[in-house]
Amino acid sequence: MLARTEPINGTAKPKPVSSPMNNFKSDLLNSFSLKSLKLKTKQQELLIRVSILCLVYVLAFITRLFSVLRYESMIHEFDPYFNYRTTLFLTQKGFYDFWNWFDSESWYPLGRIIGGTLYPGLMVTAAIIYWTLRFLRFAVHIREVCVLTAPFFASNTTIVAYFFGKEIWDSGAGLVAAALIAICPGYISRSVAGSYDNEGVAIFALLWTFYLFVKAVNTGSLAWALASAFGYFYMVSAWGGYVFIINLIPLYVMVLLITGRYSLRLYVAYNCMYVLGMLLAMQIRFVGFQHVQSGEHMAAMGVFFLMQVFYFLDWVKYLLNDAKLFQVFLRITVTFTVGVGAIALGVGTASGYISPWTGRFYSLLDPTYAKDHIPIIASVSEHQPTAWSSFMFDFHILLFLFPAGLYFCFKRLSDATIFIVMYGLTSMYFAGVMVRLILVATPAVCLISAIAVSATIKNLTLLLRAKNKVAQTASAKGIGSAKSSSKGLLDQSQPFHRNGAIALLLGAFYLLSKYAMHCTWVTSEAYSSPSIVLAARGAHGNRVIFDDYREAYFWLRQNTPPDAKVMSWWDYGYQITAMGNRTVIVDNNTWNNTHIATVGCAMSSYEDEAYEIMRSLDVDYVLVVFGGVTGYSSDDINKFLWMVRIGGGVFPVIKEPDYLVNGEYRVDKGASPKMLNCLMYDRARGVEIGNKDVKLEYLEEAFTTSNWIVRIYKVKPPNNRW
Amino acid sequence: MAISQNIATRLLLLTTLLSLFLSLTISTSDPEELVNELLFLQSQSKTGVIHLDDHSISRFLTSTKTPRPYSLLIFFDAKQLHDKHELHLQDLHREFFLVASSFILNNPDKSSTSYAKLFFCDIEFKESQSSFSLFGVNSLPHIRLVVPNVKNPKESDAMDQGDFSRMAESMSDFVESRTKLSVGPIHRPPILSRSQLGFLFAVLLIWTPFMVKKVLTGQTLLHDPKIWLGGAVFVYFFSVSGAMHNIIRKMPMFLADRNDPNKLIFFYQGSGMQLGAEGFAIGFLYTIVGLLLAFVTHVLVMVKNVTAQRLVMVVSLVVSFWAVNKVIYLDNWKTGYGVHTFWPSSWK
């Protein structure tokens, strides 16, 4: 416990003076001397712990506000615009309308059933916060609530991390974990203010569920298991990543069973959590019966039945009292159950009752799958496999501490440490497969590293204290074998050891402070840009703001007929519907691959062919993003290869090699002829080399924003025929 | 009259000779017969691919009348290049066999329209150099499709790099798009044959009861935490070294320098990409610091000898310092981001 508090004592010294004022007002009246305020060690410790937690709570919140300070309070990225739009709808129309909402403004002409195809957790959470604030007579706008939801939940996550750390190791590790996770870039990347996305609340829910489950396993209490089932329900309502929970927990139970750690506590915890969690999860329409039908959830069910078998065997063993008889019985039962289970699974799969794994899940297990078969998954930049530098960027020194933490956990194996090790390793593996899953790995990495930091610093400080007061060595005796042996040495070389320990402590704190600096710097430089407003450094080092996207969307809103249909690449779909209030053909909810491929096909065909496609989709306007003038790098031309790949996946007419020159992708003069003539190219990079004199036959330019980033074209109506 | 008779006999002789000659030539190029011969050759071959040489090329290709009743898909092979692995000649050849056998399997007899319309052949460079020049092939790997009405072999369709990049599937796509014949699904042989699978299953079945017993009594390797620890550290190493990235992207271990072919590039500049060896080196650096910390705090303190203890301590400190420094240096170099560690950034 003292590990973390020791150094902070120095900075927090005035605290014991100021905060206990409330508690001891009467004392203060009697005498103003500080001596009478002296707290007992236990109280001191509690006070310091609580104040550290409070500071961490505030820190986690304010470190995510860079973007609000630098730009303004607005929603970032693409998906959050959809979430914002639905939240707005929810607060205006109420829950039932939201639940039954059919949205005709996206996926024209198909439309989308919103209530049945989204995870409502985030919207409902934000709406509840909003209603609470209104009830308390705070006049806030729903947008502010949405912008600040993610930082708020990040703060809550630190508290959960503290309790989790306390559960698996001790409260010192808990404090360190809270501090680490508060500023870890891997988590900040998805939870800055304005990043109003499912992950913001989902990581909180994930850690919360895990914590409650571990607590339930440790105590065997039905209440904790029940709480964890509700935590799971919240997670299911918030994010598709719940599949990770429903597979990790059975895996964990399985490992415990294999390593002979079966106990009644585990039985109670898992059964309650699984049965209730499943029933609750089925209330979410997007999940529904998948929970008992899809292959992704079958592991949980299998382990559930296995648990029953274990319990049954235990019971029979208790009744039989005869080892030999029991062995025979055991063999028969196990063979029988395994057989029945295999047959049931086989029949279920064959009859189509149990659906096979979905592409996203499958691509996690066999990572090469997505690249070959589902370009739409492979195209998203956050689905790329992770290179080592990304780990360094997101974890910094935690990466070095992780193996040490693993070692510490193995040295003190318990049900809880086994869980955190498994969580850490599986999520680490997934983080290696997809960049975005670093997010899921972050809490585990923080917790395991916190164990390493806390245990090491604790040892060092104990070493220091042991020398300070010989009397205190007695208390250190029970702490660990490491300490007792070091004590033996200290008689021979006290000063050297002390100095060494001080040096190491200072080094450790120096490194931790560097971690803090790194995190702040990463947050400010890399993760706080809203991507809808672009910032660049001008020639004189000043910040230049490009607000072209919003300019374009507002133009759409003001100058086009309300029923106009806009075609763009799917990245911009949510933003157009939310800010431009116009119908789009495809958006970021990539549920219909063919539809997206149609758009990709239109974008990568010659203009006349594209015109046919656009007529068939009733497109009125085409919006493209153009980086030629400003040097903006993530424009449509950079996404173009993916349009070709996705289009080619459905329409064999589109072939990737047609757009490549010698296997290279070029956009300048050396680009391939098909490339130079296709619709996308015409409109995306007219100025910059290649094909300069673009004459469009079927499209006309309607609007170009001030920095030429967004260009909107109007599709000409067909010629009059008479 | 005599003259006319003479002429008549001469004519007769000539016609018989001619007809004989013609019949000879026709017999060699009678389409029906050629197809039958090809079918025979195909059935002789184990893989369904017909091995051609200069002679048979002229027989089935150059000396035939042009709308041939069949197409030929020819794989150009060269034994002397088999040891150049970057060409993937043997891999492609194997895929080619797969397409061939799948085609034959999917079009087994006359009832299917594509039957005997397409034959898969291969040519070896050493044996038939003149055929290579006939087709104008001077680089490998090379696959050509000769459709029925191609007269000059040089005019035939060459499969380009993109068409065999996805192995057998894309080859069959290519064929289907050019010939309008259906190849059908590719039948890859399972990794384990049926009997092997049965054997494995039987072993597993016998082994299960023993296994269960052992698990229940707690005597397996699984109960040894050291094994688990080793596995855990390995998973960590595997993940952070970006091994998944290498597998998915099929990255090579290192690249040859373009400017100086004798030099090898082990580190790739630019974030989001990495080479195999690079990832493993960094993963090793990541791992070693943590393991040293664990070693120092849990094992070293048991050592009785104080000097040894100090020595190891100092060494591990230096190594950790070096490793972290190296990683940071490489990261700064690779991504261009200035990640901080030991010194303030102004100190370079």
Side-chain angles (χ1 to χ4, degrees):
Chain A
M1 266 156 269
L2 292 169
R4 177 71 181 179
T5 55
E6 174 71 19
I8 286 170
N9 248 344
T11 56
K13 237 167 203 161
K15 284 254 158 65
V17 189
S18 57
S19 12
M21 284 202 178
N22 314 320
N23 306 343
F24 297 101
K25 259 185 186 159
S26 54
D27 282 50
L28 273 180
L29 290 177
N30 293 339
S31 71
F32 279 85
S33 78
L34 294 176
K35 268 183 191 169
S36 65
L37 287 180
K38 194 137 192 170
L39 303 171
K40 283 181 205 145
T41 322
K42 266 245 164 107
Q43 288 172 314
Q44 256 181 357
E45 198 249 318
L46 181 73
L47 181 68
I48 293 171
R49 211 191 313 162
V50 170
S51 40
I52 290 175
L53 268 184
C54 290
L55 287 176
V56 167
Y57 192 87
V58 175
L59 172 70
F61 193 82
I62 58 175
T63 194
R64 287 165 167 81
L65 296 184
F66 270 107
S67 58
V68 174
L69 297 180
R70 194 166 294 158
Y71 303 93
E72 59 181 75
S73 168
M74 66 177 146
I75 311 278
H76 296 186
E77 302 278 344
F78 306 108
D79 283 19
Y81 272 94
F82 168 76
N83 299 332
Y84 171 58
R85 185 165 152 246
T86 45
T87 315
L88 201 63
F89 190 91
L90 171 63
T91 51
Q92 283 166 354
K93 303 269 172 70
F95 186 75
Y96 286 100
D97 276 347
F98 169 71
W99 204 232
N100 297 321
W101 183 17
F102 178 82
D103 179 20
S104 54
E105 282 194 6
S106 54
W107 289 94
Y108 182 85
L110 307 171
R112 175 182 173 192
I113 308 157
I114 298 282
T117 58
L118 95 173
Y119 293 101
L122 178 73
M123 296 90 196
V124 173
T125 309
I128 288 176
I129 296 175
Y130 174 71
W131 285 324
T132 317
L133 287 175
R134 296 297 280 225
F135 178 75
L136 298 173
R137 299 295 178 270
F138 289 104
V140 288
H141 189 271
I142 180 70
R143 196 189 62 233
E144 314 296 336
V145 175
C146 292
V147 166
L148 295 179
T149 300
F152 175 62
F153 271 87
S155 292
N156 296 341
T157 310
T158 62
I159 302 296
V160 179
Y162 164 72
F163 283 110
F164 204 167
K166 195 177 168 195
E167 191 63 32
I168 55 177
W169 202 258
D170 56 19
S171 56
L175 280 180
V176 179
L180 290 181
I181 204 171
I183 54 173
C184 188
Y187 183 25
I188 287 184
S189 67
R190 289 322 205 83
S191 63
V192 290
S195 157
Y196 179 56
D197 212 344
N198 290 338
E199 287 93 332
V201 297
I203 293 303
F204 166 77
L206 179 89
L207 206 58
W208 182 238
T209 314
F210 282 156
Y211 163 64
L212 290 172
F213 184 73
V214 168
K215 188 94 186 166
V217 172
N218 275 347
T219 56
S221 134
L222 209 52
W224 288 113
L226 186 70
S228 121
F230 276 98
Y232 176 64
F233 171 61
Y234 185 55
M235 178 69 191
V236 175
S237 75
W239 195 35
Y242 78 89
V243 177
F244 179 62
I245 296 187
I246 203 62
N247 281 292
L248 178 63
I249 286 184
L251 192 68
Y252 164 66
V253 172
M254 194 72 198
V255 167
L256 287 190
L257 292 184
I258 290 177
T259 50
R261 284 172 169 272
Y262 168 79
S263 63
L264 208 56
R265 291 176 285 118
L266 185 67
Y267 182 82
V268 170
Y270 183 71
N271 283 340
C272 175
M273 145 83 194
Y274 177 68
V275 173
L276 263 174
M278 178 178 69
L279 290 177
L280 286 170
M282 282 158 77
Q283 309 310 310
I284 306 293
R285 260 165 71 197
F286 196 24
V287 178
F289 282 101
Q290 271 182 40
H291 219 287
V292 283
Q293 287 186 345
S294 87
E296 287 147 36
H297 302 81
M298 280 304 123
M301 190 181 272
V303 169
F304 174 72
F305 287 122
L306 199 65
M307 286 292 274
Q308 312 312 319
V309 172
F310 259 80
Y311 185 75
F312 180 66
L313 285 177
D314 242 27
W315 180 67
V316 171
K317 193 177 184 179
Y318 167 73
L319 286 184
L320 273 180
N321 272 332
D322 182 355
K324 233 179 197 174
L325 257 177
F326 178 67
Q327 287 296 333
V328 177
F329 176 75
L330 180 71
R331 217 164 291 171
I332 295 170
T333 350
V334 168
T335 328
F336 181 70
T337 13
V338 170
V340 168
I343 290 171
L345 192 68
V347 169
T349 318
S351 64
Y353 184 71
I354 298 171
S355 61
W357 289 337
T358 57
R360 269 170 222 252
F361 192 73
Y362 198 68
S363 68
L364 278 182
L365 296 178
D366 173 18
T368 47
Y369 177 80
K371 191 186 163 217
D372 295 340
H373 296 94
I374 335 168
I376 195 112
I377 292 183
S379 80
V380 183
S381 71
E382 54 190 27
H383 289 171
Q384 302 305 314
T386 320
W388 65 266
S389 48
S390 317
F391 280 111
M392 188 67 212
F393 194 67
D394 278 351
F395 290 140
H396 201 239
I397 61 164
L398 301 187
L399 210 50
F400 298 108
L401 294 170
F402 189 80
L406 279 184
Y407 191 84
F408 281 91
C409 287
F410 272 98
K411 276 284 154 188
R412 207 170 98 180
L413 274 186
S414 66
D415 289 356
T417 48
I418 290 180
F419 181 81
I420 195 67
V421 166
M422 290 192 56
Y423 173 29
L425 290 179
T426 44
S427 59
M428 258 301 191
Y429 168 76
F430 291 141
V433 178
M434 274 189 200
V435 174
R436 75 189 304 210
L437 292 180
I438 283 187
L439 177 74
V440 176
T442 304
V445 172
C446 285
L447 279 164
I448 292 180
S449 309
I451 289 173
V453 171
S454 159
T456 310
I457 291 181
K458 189 174 188 172
N459 289 350
L460 287 174
T461 46
L462 276 174
L463 208 65
L464 275 184
R465 298 185 144 227
K467 269 121 234 189
N468 281 346
K469 300 166 197 164
V470 186
Q472 257 201 343
T473 50
S475 68
K477 213 171 236 164
I479 297 300
S481 53
K483 253 46 272 162
S484 55
S485 66
S486 72
K487 234 189 305 146
L489 295 168
L490 70 91
D491 305 329
Q492 305 158 12
S493 53
Q494 276 211 3
F496 181 83
H497 261 250
R498 240 193 106 180
N499 293 340
I502 290 178
L504 285 180
L505 259 187
L506 285 179
F509 282 109
Y510 186 66
L511 274 186
L512 286 176
S513 68
K514 277 292 170 188
Y515 168 72
M517 279 173 64
H518 171 81
C519 294
T520 321
W521 171 79
V522 166
T523 314
S524 124
E525 291 293 315
Y527 289 145
S528 289
S529 51
S531 95
I532 187 161
V533 177
L534 308 164
R537 299 268 179 198
H540 308 292
N542 53 332
R543 239 174 244 284
V544 184
I545 304 267
F546 297 132
D547 205 356
D548 285 34
Y549 282 108
R550 293 199 292 177
E551 190 184 339
Y553 298 144
F554 281 114
W555 184 87
L556 277 179
R557 193 186 194 110
Q558 304 293 340
N559 296 301
T560 57
D563 60 344
K565 281 106 198 154
V566 183
M567 181 172 93
S568 70
W569 191 232
W570 55 266
D571 297 16
Y572 311 105
Y574 278 163
Q575 291 181 349
I576 295 173
T577 32
M579 299 182 77
N581 206 11
R582 291 293 173 269
T583 307
V584 293
I585 307 295
V586 290
D587 66 25
N588 309 42
N589 179 282
T590 49
W591 63 274
N592 188 330
N593 201 356
T594 320
H595 214 53
I596 291 182
T598 314
V599 173
C601 185
M603 294 280 195
S604 47
S605 316
Y606 297 115
E607 198 194 343
D608 44 352
E609 293 164 16
Y611 185 66
E612 290 297 312
I613 300 174
M614 291 192 288
R615 290 303 311 164
S616 71
L617 289 173
D618 272 357
V619 174
D620 299 309
Y621 290 90
V622 180
L623 181 143
V624 289
V625 177
F626 167 67
V629 175
T630 47
Y632 175 46
S633 61
S634 60
D635 61 354
D636 278 355
I637 274 289
N638 275 344
K639 296 172 182 168
F640 183 73
L641 259 195
W642 286 109
M643 299 187 198
V644 174
R645 278 181 205 157
I646 292 170
V650 176
F651 301 99
V653 192
I654 311 280
K655 283 211 165 162
E656 195 178 331
D658 291 349
Y659 300 87
L660 302 174
V661 182
N662 301 327
E664 271 182 271
Y665 177 58
R666 296 178 61 177
V667 292
D668 53 9
K669 269 191 181 134
S672 65
K674 177 131 192 185
M675 169 87 201
L676 287 176
N677 282 316
C678 75
L679 175 71
M680 188 70 237
Y681 190 84
D682 284 356
R683 289 158 313 124
R685 208 159 266 192
V687 175
E688 186 181 334
I689 42 203
N691 202 350
K692 277 187 192 148
D693 314 311
V694 181
K695 285 204 182 73
L696 295 169
E697 209 175 321
Y698 301 102
L699 299 171
E700 60 185 0
E701 187 175 343
F703 179 67
T704 299
T705 55
S706 53
N707 294 305
W708 279 56
I709 288 181
V710 183
R711 311 186 70 179
I712 299 173
Y713 291 83
K714 187 172 176 22
V715 179
K716 289 182 194 165
N719 291 333
N720 286 338
R721 279 160 288 187
W722 68 90
Chain B
M1 197 62 184
I3 292 168
S4 67
Q5 238 181 358
N6 199 2
I7 289 175
T9 47
R10 268 186 192 178
L11 260 177
L12 199 76
L13 198 77
L14 204 79
T15 43
T16 46
L17 262 178
L18 250 177
S19 68
L20 198 84
F21 181 64
L22 264 179
S23 73
L24 250 178
T25 46
I26 282 173
S27 78
T28 52
S29 60
D30 174 33
E32 280 290 309
E33 214 152 292
L34 279 179
V35 168
N36 283 337
E37 205 175 327
L38 278 169
L39 279 175
F40 173 73
L41 283 174
Q42 177 177 294
S43 66
Q44 287 293 300
S45 152
K46 214 163 57 177
T47 53
V49 172
I50 303 161
H51 189 76
L52 297 181
D53 51 23
D54 289 343
H55 174 68
S56 42
I57 282 278
S58 78
R59 182 168 159 71
F60 294 118
L61 211 69
T62 37
S63 60
T64 49
K65 272 192 286 179
T66 40
R68 281 180 290 269
Y70 50 83
S71 313
L72 292 178
L73 188 68
I74 306 172
F75 184 90
F76 292 82
D77 193 18
K79 285 229 171 69
Q80 77 246 37
L81 293 179
H82 277 190
D83 52 345
K84 293 211 169 175
H85 294 291
E86 65 271 20
L87 291 180
H88 297 292
L89 262 187
Q90 278 168 306
D91 295 339
L92 288 171
H93 209 172
R94 226 170 289 129
E95 294 295 313
F96 189 74
F97 290 151
L98 262 182
V99 184
S101 51
S102 306
F103 177 78
I104 295 163
L105 205 68
N106 292 330
N107 304 293
D109 48 36
K110 288 196 173 118
S111 59
S112 57
T113 48
S114 305
Y115 175 71
K117 292 273 164 54
L118 173 67
F119 293 96
F120 294 80
C121 319
D122 56 359
I123 308 184
E124 213 285 321
F125 179 69
K126 275 259 171 73
E127 293 169 15
S128 23
Q129 298 197 4
S130 63
S131 301
F132 269 64
S133 58
L134 194 66
F135 280 94
V137 174
N138 41 25
S139 72
L140 293 184
H142 199 100
I143 300 176
R144 247 165 208 265
L145 177 72
V146 188
V147 285
N149 34 19
V150 164
K151 274 193 189 129
N152 183 355
K154 279 193 183 151
E155 287 166 8
S156 57
D157 264 336
M159 208 185 270
D160 50 315
Q161 203 76 33
D163 284 317
F164 40 76
S165 61
R166 275 191 305 117
M167 314 306 265
E169 281 76 8
S170 57
M171 288 188 203
S172 91
D173 284 351
F174 172 83
V175 172
E176 287 185 351
S177 67
R178 302 296 157 100
T179 59
K180 312 282 180 279
L181 298 173
S182 91
V183 177
I186 303 291
H187 300 279
R188 283 181 189 279
I191 301 167
L192 294 168
S193 71
R194 191 164 288 230
S195 55
Q196 275 170 322
L197 217 67
F199 177 71
L200 273 183
F201 188 70
V203 167
L204 206 72
L205 216 64
I206 297 167
W207 182 61
T208 315
F210 294 102
M211 186 63 210
V212 169
K213 189 180 157 197
K214 272 199 161 179
V215 164
L216 289 182
T217 48
Q219 308 169 323
T220 47
L221 280 178
L222 292 175
H223 292 82
D224 187 355
K226 286 210 181 85
I227 305 272
W228 289 87
L229 177 62
V233 171
F234 174 74
V235 170
Y236 167 80
F237 170 77
F238 186 78
S239 309
V240 293
S241 64
M244 286 323 296
H245 176 275
N246 299 336
I247 293 173
I248 294 172
R249 293 279 170 79
K250 301 204 172 73
M251 295 305 288
M253 276 292 161
F254 42 77
L255 291 174
D257 199 332
R258 270 192 196 177
N259 307 323
D260 178 7
N262 294 326
K263 261 177 42 191
L264 296 174
I265 301 179
F266 286 98
F267 287 87
Y268 183 91
Q269 195 162 13
S271 56
M273 268 281 275
Q274 67 170 36
L275 297 174
E278 171 187 356
F280 289 124
I282 301 290
F284 174 71
L285 290 181
Y286 283 154
T287 316
I288 192 144
V289 178
L291 286 185
L292 276 178
L293 179 60
F295 173 75
V296 165
T297 47
H298 280 90
V299 181
L300 194 62
V301 283
M302 311 282 193
V303 178
K304 286 274 151 60
N305 187 345
V306 180
T307 355
Q309 217 178 21
R310 283 185 192 157
L311 209 68
V312 175
M313 183 77 194
V314 168
V315 168
S316 55
L317 274 181
V318 169
V319 169
S320 309
F321 180 83
W322 170 80
V324 176
N325 212 16
K326 199 76 193 159
V327 169
I328 298 295
Y329 163 74
L330 284 171
D331 189 70
N332 290 352
W333 172 80
K334 185 182 178 72
T335 60
Y337 279 119
V339 172
H340 311 277
T341 30
F342 297 133
W343 354 100
S345 40
S346 57
W347 281 15
K348 281 286 149 86

